[in-house]
Amino acid sequence: MSQQHVVLNRTGDKMPLVGFGTWKVQSDQAEDVIYDAIKVGYRLIDDACDYGNEQAVGKGIARAIKEGIVKREDLFVVTKLWNTYHSKDHVQEAFNRQLKDLGLDYIDLYLIHFPVPLKYVPLDKAYPPGWYQSEQATKVEYERSPIHECWREMEKLVDSGKVRNIGVSNFNVQSMLDLFTYCKYKPATLQIEIHPYLPQKRLVEWVTSHDVHITAYSSFGPVSYEDLTDDGRKAKPLLQHDTIKSIANKKGKDPGQILLRWAIQRGIAVIPKSTHVERMKTNHDLFSWELTDEENKELDKLSQGLRFNNPDSYGFDLPLFA
């Protein structure tokens, strides 16, 4: 059986290679969904302020702990700082709200969600606030909150004992290199979009060479973006791609398992989600089998540089990955 976790820098904490994502899990479902995921065997739960479901996710975690399915120390809980709280005056305020909503004493991994400092929105005005500063706004508003100040506040959370590890999401090499020049605590992980249409091979190689682990989101490609972007609607669904279906049939697996195994075989953590228990089980069944070199090469041929989580495609006038 292949390795099921990676060891994080600085703390030596073991982060599961297969976790459970919570983006687009509705609040009225999240408690049951998270409870079921933990029962199935997931030990990493990936959430974010922006998902708007942290209270319900926390209730699912609490229920599983109360019933003795897991202990708190068995779980690896991840959440993310939203863009409107990058100021050194607001990082801890936002984190404390998230910690309270999740009902936890500490977070295993806290990420900066995007390298995008948006104008602050008070918690009592809108929470989570999203990309716009008001319902009437038609463009995003930025503020002068440098990442180096934001990162120092993240490090203070580590020093306080409320956070064990810190990391980033949606950063590129330039952003990572800048962070390396001033950080006291190197980021433990980088979370980015990765799937066969967008393998990000060089970024993954460079970042991991600096002892920073990669987590992939959107492992199934366009399926989560069909309601958000033209690219999401036009791209051939990876779960229905002939190459992936052919490999799945040969292995006696489903296409989703092929996509997830392709990532973890590269040492990349994955965070699939499903509201269906049987699908949760298959998405978690990735370690008793593997893809051959030839099968991986067939999947590598699907690379198109096709990115779906691009703010510029959502009308935000922000070519973040240009």
Side-chain angles (χ1 to χ4, degrees), residues 11 13 16 22 41 66 104 107 174 195 200 229 282 298 306 312 315-316:
T11 62
D13 287 352
T22 61
K66 183 178 180 180
L104 299 173
I107 298 297
Q174 182 178 356
H195 43 74
Q200 303 220 62
T229 70
T282 56
E298 288 300 306
L306 190 53
D312 203 37
F316 296 146

Side-chain angles (χ1 to χ4, degrees), residues 211-226:
D211 197 24
V212 177
H213 287 288
I214 301 291
T215 298
Y217 66 75
S218 300
S219 294
F220 301 146
V223 65
S224 294
Y225 298 91
E226 293 173 349

Side-chain angles (χ1 to χ4, degrees), residues 31-42:
E31 178 181 343
D32 289 340
V33 168
I34 296 305
Y35 173 78
D36 288 339
I38 294 172
K39 282 188 71 175
V40 164
Y42 291 89

Side-chain angles (χ1 to χ4, degrees), residues 85-92 143 145 149-150 153 156:
Y85 309 121
H86 278 207
S87 166
K88 64 180 184 294
D89 297 323
H90 301 303
V91 171
Q92 296 203 31
E143 69 177 19
S145 294
E149 292 184 356
C150 181
E153 295 303 310
K156 288 179 182 178

Side-chain angles (χ1 to χ4, degrees), residues 92-103:
Q92 296 203 31
E93 171 194 30
F95 173 80
N96 288 335
R97 166 66 186 265
Q98 293 180 262
L99 192 65
K100 180 180 177 181
D101 283 353
L102 286 164

Side-chain angles (χ1 to χ4, degrees), residues 139-298:
K139 64 178 182 179
V140 296
E141 297 180 61
Y142 306 101
E143 69 177 19
R144 293 170 65 90
S145 294
I147 290 292
H148 73 85
E149 292 184 356
C150 181
W151 191 253
R152 181 63 191 121
E153 295 303 310
M154 300 280 283
E155 292 173 331
K156 288 179 182 178
L157 290 172
V158 172
D159 292 338
S160 74
K162 294 179 180 179
V163 173
R164 287 196 52 79
N165 303 275
I166 49 178
V168 293
S169 179
N170 297 302
F171 277 46
N172 61 17
V173 167
Q174 182 178 356
S175 299
M176 296 293 291
L177 186 59
D178 180 62
L179 200 162
F180 290 159
T181 65
Y182 54 74
C183 64
K184 179 172 72 170
Y185 302 141
K186 182 186 288 189
T189 68
L190 167 65
Q191 187 174 128
I192 50 177
E193 179 180 349
I194 295 180
H195 43 74
Y197 285 155
L198 187 72
Q200 303 220 62
K201 183 178 179 181
R202 283 296 293 127
L203 176 58
V204 170
E205 289 175 344
W206 188 86
V207 170
T208 55
S209 74
H210 288 270
D211 197 24
V212 177
H213 287 288
I214 301 291
T215 298
Y217 66 75
S218 300
S219 294
F220 301 146
V223 65
S224 294
Y225 298 91
E226 293 173 349
D227 60 335
L228 296 174
T229 70
D230 286 340
D231 285 341
R233 286 184 287 272
K234 294 176 182 177
K236 183 176 180 63
L238 282 169
L239 294 171
Q240 300 172 24
H241 197 287
D242 290 343
T243 297
I244 295 164
K245 287 168 63 178
S246 174
I247 295 173
N249 289 335
K250 184 169 61 174
K251 308 295 279 191
K253 305 295 178 181
D254 66 39
Q257 289 175 289
I258 301 303
L259 292 167
L260 296 170
R261 180 67 207 186
W262 170 81
I264 68 167
Q265 214 157 302
R266 297 170 64 194
I268 296 170
V270 293
I271 45 173
K273 75 167 188 297
S274 177
T275 57
H276 304 288
V277 172
E278 290 307 312
R279 179 64 63 185
M280 292 179 189
K281 291 177 180 178
T282 56
N283 286 346
H284 196 262
D285 176 23
L286 302 176
F287 296 103
S288 60
W289 57 280
E290 61 182 26
L291 297 169
T292 66
D293 290 343
E294 188 58 39
E295 288 164 344
N296 276 316
K297 288 177 182 178
E298 288 300 306

